[in-house]
Amino acid sequence: MSNVAGHGPSGQGATTRAAIAEAASHLFAEHGYAGTSVRAIAAAVGIDPALVVRYFGSKERLFLETVRLPLPIAKAFDGPLESLGERIVEAMLSGNLPERLATMGALMRASDSDAVREKVREIGELTFIHPLRAQLAGPDADLRARLIGAQMNGLLIALGMDDDRLTHVERARLVAVYGRAVQALVDG
Amino acid sequence: MSNVAGHGPSGQGATTRAAIAEAASHLFAEHGYAGTSVRAIAAAVGIDPALVVRYFGSKERLFLETVRLPLPIAKAFDGPLESLGERIVEAMLSGNLPERLATMGALMRASDSDAVREKVREIGELTFIHPLRAQLAGPDADLRARLIGAQMNGLLIALGMDDDRLTHVERARLVAVYGRAVQALVDG
DNA sequence: GTCTATATGGGGATAGAC
DNA sequence: GTCTATCCCCATATAGAC
């Protein structure tokens, strides 16, 4: 933390770029895309707003380069197929859920842009569709994998809507009930 | 446009408000919330941007007053419970689907605002939760109804992402496969 | 009352000086 | 490489003209 600042405004390009990316990542997750101004990012790093644009080309490209949606569901694919539905839901709710919801919200709210929508598709493709399709049998495997992805997005969005009726439900109940719905697509 | 005040079918006077709402509704559905400026709405009607604010208070209130997400699923609740899942999905995909996807996208992208999130919750509550909860049995009825709403949002969002792999699937296949997943929550 | 003109403050992005 | 100065677009609020 102390290696970022300390020797005045005459720093190196590489570390400035990394500092911008670091600050942007946090601010985007916390305040969303529209809620985060280039000026705010620059202020957090202690540089001029124009530098941010100079390093990353535009606010949108900065967002696309720094946004990370950690979905630690890789390990959920190991295990018996008959309980895969529950394991997927369980994985979606574990780890840093608040940050995941915030990032998901930031992505959705910025999905005006074609590039952002492509990014969302890409994340779903890599984390859900490909691994799932490999495990599912039947001619509808690809479709079923995509629909499981839709279920997961729906769950994250519902939780991100701050609906107390849903966010206050015990995790185990959520896993059991929604897991059955996911399992219906796993089984085909 | 030097039409003097008075009354008439030329979009002036008392019909100005309606004309603004009409133009705003179309523009929001087509270009989203952020993508639609008050200036653009005013230009479409042929008036000054300040008039829009004068009539509706703010861009956000104009959006909240004019946004309509037609979900003609009321009739889907009539019929045997064992095929309710399919009927719900069928209803979600019938009617003017492109407009529904555009409006859903506009709502999601504007969900930075608490008022918009509340609006989204309200729509889900009235169109899904209440009617569904009345038909579902068991102690988890409320939870299951909300999760079906999450599934529907997930489906709309996935379709709105312009993923050809999903939008090109025949409607009947989508209804059959996703309907089973919904049915899993109907059955409990 | 209805509408127009204008001012304010903030945003992203650019050109060019150190 | 870095920053200063600037441009254009936006939403919003206020004052004043019909």
Side-chain angles (χ1 to χ4, degrees):
Chain A
M1 352 239 171
S2 55
N3 58 343
V4 173
H7 49 290
S10 62
Q12 292 77 7
T15 63
T16 300
R17 190 190 157 92
I20 294 171
E22 175 73 9
S25 177
H26 287 151
L27 287 172
F28 280 137
E30 191 170 355
H31 302 111
Y33 180 74
T36 302
S37 69
V38 172
R39 283 170 168 81
I41 296 168
V45 183
I47 59 171
D48 190 88
L51 253 192
V52 175
V53 176
R54 180 162 187 82
Y55 272 113
F56 289 90
S58 72
K59 180 185 175 183
E60 180 178 311
R61 285 214 285 274
L62 170 59
F63 177 68
L64 288 171
E65 281 195 35
T66 58
V67 68
R68 293 288 180 276
L69 184 59
L71 297 173
I73 68 162
K75 62 182 187 299
F77 295 118
D78 301 331
L81 214 63
E82 67 256 28
S83 61
L84 180 56
E86 283 200 359
R87 291 203 306 280
I88 290 178
V89 177
E90 171 77 45
M92 289 296 290
L93 300 176
S94 61
N96 193 341
L97 183 58
E99 185 187 347
R100 190 174 311 137
L101 295 180
T103 303
M104 183 68 182
L107 278 167
M108 292 305 308
R109 286 171 205 135
S111 65
D112 253 303
S113 143
D114 290 347
V116 173
R117 278 202 303 277
E118 178 57 36
K119 182 81 176 181
V120 173
R121 280 197 295 268
E122 177 193 313
I123 291 174
E125 202 81 20
L126 293 177
T127 53
F128 286 113
I129 318 305
H130 288 176
L132 267 173
R133 200 172 39 195
Q135 299 223 354
L136 301 183
D140 280 332
D142 184 81
L143 174 60
R144 278 150 54 208
R146 288 176 197 282
L147 290 177
I148 290 176
Q151 282 182 318
M152 292 304 105
N153 284 343
L155 178 61
L156 286 187
I157 285 162
L159 290 174
M161 283 289 164
D162 288 332
D163 191 338
D164 292 344
R165 310 288 284 270
L166 204 51
T167 54
H168 286 171
V169 172
E170 311 93 281
R171 190 152 305 187
R173 234 174 114 214
L174 217 48
V175 169
V177 177
Y178 209 55
R180 272 201 297 275
V182 177
Q183 191 65 36
L185 288 174
V186 170
D187 296 335
Chain B
M1 291 307 184
S2 45
N3 212 354
V4 196
H7 64 289
S10 57
Q12 301 288 336
T15 62
T16 300
R17 189 188 160 93
I20 293 171
E22 174 73 9
S25 178
H26 287 150
L27 288 172
F28 281 137
E30 191 170 356
H31 303 110
Y33 180 75
T36 302
S37 70
V38 172
R39 280 171 166 74
I41 296 169
V45 184
I47 57 172
D48 189 88
L51 251 194
V52 175
V53 176
R54 180 160 187 82
Y55 272 112
F56 288 90
S58 72
K59 179 186 175 182
E60 181 177 311
R61 285 213 286 275
L62 169 59
F63 178 68
L64 288 171
E65 280 196 35
T66 58
V67 68
R68 293 287 179 276
L69 185 58
L71 296 173
I73 67 162
K75 63 182 185 301
F77 296 116
D78 301 329
L81 213 64
E82 66 257 28
S83 60
L84 180 56
E86 284 201 358
R87 291 203 306 280
I88 291 177
V89 178
E90 171 77 45
M92 289 296 289
L93 300 177
S94 61
N96 194 342
L97 182 58
E99 185 187 348
R100 191 174 310 140
L101 296 180
T103 303
M104 183 69 182
L107 278 167
M108 293 307 307
R109 286 170 206 137
S111 65
D112 254 302
S113 146
D114 290 348
V116 172
R117 279 202 303 279
E118 178 58 35
K119 181 82 176 182
V120 173
R121 279 197 296 268
E122 179 193 312
I123 291 174
E125 202 80 19
L126 293 178
T127 54
F128 285 113
I129 319 307
H130 288 178
L132 266 173
R133 199 173 41 198
Q135 299 223 352
L136 302 184
D140 280 331
D142 185 81
L143 174 60
R144 279 150 53 209
R146 287 176 197 283
L147 290 178
I148 289 176
Q151 283 181 317
M152 292 305 104
N153 284 342
L155 179 60
L156 286 187
I157 285 161
L159 290 175
M161 284 290 163
D162 288 332
D163 191 337
D164 292 344
R165 309 287 284 271
L166 204 52
T167 53
H168 285 171
V169 173
E170 311 93 279
R171 189 149 306 186
R173 236 175 111 213
L174 217 49
V175 169
V177 178
Y178 209 56
R180 272 200 298 274
V182 176
Q183 190 65 36
L185 288 173
V186 171
D187 296 336

